[in-house]
Each structure stands twice: as structure tokens, then as C-alpha cells.
Amino acid sequence: MKGFPAAIGVLFTLVYQASANVDHISLYASGGATIVEASATLVLPSAPNPITGDVALWSAIQLERDFIQGVSENAPAGLGYCTSLGSNWCNFAYALTPNAQNGKPVIAAPGARVRTHYKLNSSTNLWDQSVYINDQVVSTVSTSQGQKGNIFYVSVECASGSCAAAPAHSWEDISVVLSTANPNFKHTGNWNFGATGGEMSTSDGGKTWAFTTLNVPATTD
Ligand SMILES: *[C@@H]1O[C@H](CO)[C@@H](O)[C@H](O)[C@H]1NC(C)=O
């Protein structure tokens, strides 16, 4: 939390545990195959209207204890991690560890492509999380040594305040890699809360999974 009010991290922690996030994807590892890598690219939509709450769009992995989360948020002045945000989005790598840690928050405009890549680093055994804006890495954090990856999420959250709907948006190039092949990881049928697309396929028997573009409708948490 260096350089940022500690209270915000605490608030995020409490809110995450207390609020019912709108989880369009919640995908559980099973059969002894854990998540070891994932990537997801959010195409930033327009800002919520009105801008009255902290609206957060994120992908994430629930680890054994920690929660690692590439966040894009829009919030009015005084809320959230960026100042002078206006109708833009604040993007950063975030790790909900016992002392919440985040990478640098960086502003991007609607239309920008915000990719978060999560990977269990085989030499350090840390989870390296990197957020890219239009293919340039801007925010990183490495945490959660040795923890297994249990659940992959794509979600919308009203992290604080009174939130307008998150405008419709899409997630491109979602991928998840497992520790060992598990054909049963495949989700069939619709995703949650009206999200369409996101069809999963594997070309290596169930270790590496690719998704078609996921389209998320305007969503209120
Ligand atoms: C693993 O972490 C080390 C130390 O931070 C880094 O130099 C290396 O590039 C990482 N490996 C991969 C595959 O990213």
C-alpha cells in the first residue's frame, strides 16, 4: 500500500468479503488439477453514468489463502486508487494478502485493452501478476508463494458508495492453464447473469484452455 491510504486496502478487503459480487465467471479447479496461469483482456467500456460509486471490473484467481485480482475501477474523486479519473478507468494489479498489496495504479480511457496475466513463477514459486494497457506492462505485484490456484473469476463489483450500472463490456483472449490436464474443467452452457460467449476449448486434452470473447451486459451489483 506504499503511497496510498492504508484504509483503502482495508476497505477493499472488508467489501470483498461482505458484498455479493456479480461473478459472471466462477470456474473451479477440480480433480487435483490446480490453476497455474491465467490471462484475461478487458476492453474498457464507457464510464458508469452517473459516477457515484466505486465500480470495479476484474478478473481474479482465488488461491488457497490470497486473492489476486487485476482491477479496472471508475470512482468519483476521493474514492478509489487514482485521482482526477473523470470518465476514465484506474487499472492496477492487486493482491488481497494479509497486508493487501497493489501495483502502480494507471489511468486508461474507454476503448483501451487492459490485460492481466497471472502466472505461478516456477523459479520463485511466487504468483507474478502483471497488468498491461494496450500491450505495455504498467502494474505488477508478486505474492502468495506456493499457493495453489483454486477458482478463476470474471466479475463486476460495487466496491463502495452507490454505484450506477457497469456499462456492457467484453473480455477477450481469456485463457487458463492447469497444472495437469483435466477435461472436466470445461464449463458448458451459459455463464452467469446474462453473459454470453466465453466458450471454452482445449487443444491439449484439458491442460490449456482458451475462451471465445465473453460479452457482459450492463450489470448492477
Ligand atoms: C520468475 O521470477 C524471476 C525473478 O523475479 C524473473 O526474473 C523471471 O523472469 C520470472 N520467470 C518468468 C517465467 O516469468
Side-chain angles (χ1 to χ4, degrees):
M1 295 304 301
K2 206 164 91 185
F4 301 95
I8 291 178
V10 173
L11 180 65
F12 227 89
T13 304
L14 296 175
V15 167
Y16 178 69
Q17 289 168 350
S19 80
N21 300 319
V22 178
D23 299 323
H24 292 95
I25 291 180
S26 53
L27 186 57
Y28 288 67
S30 65
T34 59
I35 297 167
V36 295
E37 182 174 1
S39 182
T41 300
L42 170 67
V43 182
L44 291 177
S46 54
N49 182 15
I51 298 171
T52 48
D54 183 348
V55 175
L57 315 179
W58 42 262
S59 62
I61 304 174
Q62 175 67 62
L63 306 176
E64 285 174 275
R65 293 177 297 283
D66 299 341
F67 191 77
I68 53 177
Q69 186 181 29
V71 178
S72 296
E73 70 174 359
N74 173 271
L79 276 185
Y81 284 66
C82 292
T83 53
S84 306
L85 194 53
S87 297
N88 295 308
W89 295 86
C90 181
N91 310 279
F92 53 96
Y94 184 82
L96 189 44
T97 59
N99 308 300
Q101 296 170 58
N102 63 279
K104 183 181 175 190
V106 174
I107 292 175
R113 296 165 52 85
V114 181
R115 172 183 181 229
T116 303
H117 180 228
Y118 312 85
K119 185 171 173 129
L120 183 59
N121 184 316
S122 56
S123 52
T124 61
N125 219 19
L126 289 166
W127 278 92
D128 292 336
Q129 182 190 160
S130 302
V131 172
Y132 298 76
I133 296 177
N134 296 331
D135 298 323
Q136 190 176 357
V137 66
V138 295
S139 186
T140 63
V141 67
S142 294
T143 60
S144 313
Q145 192 168 42
Q147 293 186 37
K148 291 186 165 62
N150 291 331
I151 314 170
F152 174 74
Y153 286 102
V154 170
S155 305
V156 170
E157 176 181 8
C158 179
S160 64
S162 170
C163 296
H169 54 279
S170 59
W171 290 87
E172 300 179 342
D173 302 325
I174 298 175
S175 63
V176 178
V177 182
L178 301 176
S179 56
T180 56
N182 177 14
N184 296 328
F185 187 62
K186 182 175 180 150
H187 169 95
T188 48
N190 295 328
W191 289 108
N192 301 320
F193 301 105
T196 59
E199 190 181 331
M200 294 174 66
S201 63
T202 180
S203 54
D204 58 8
K207 187 172 196 291
T208 306
W209 293 90
F211 296 57
T212 59
T213 297
L214 180 80
N215 297 300
V216 174
T219 296
T220 305
D221 179 349

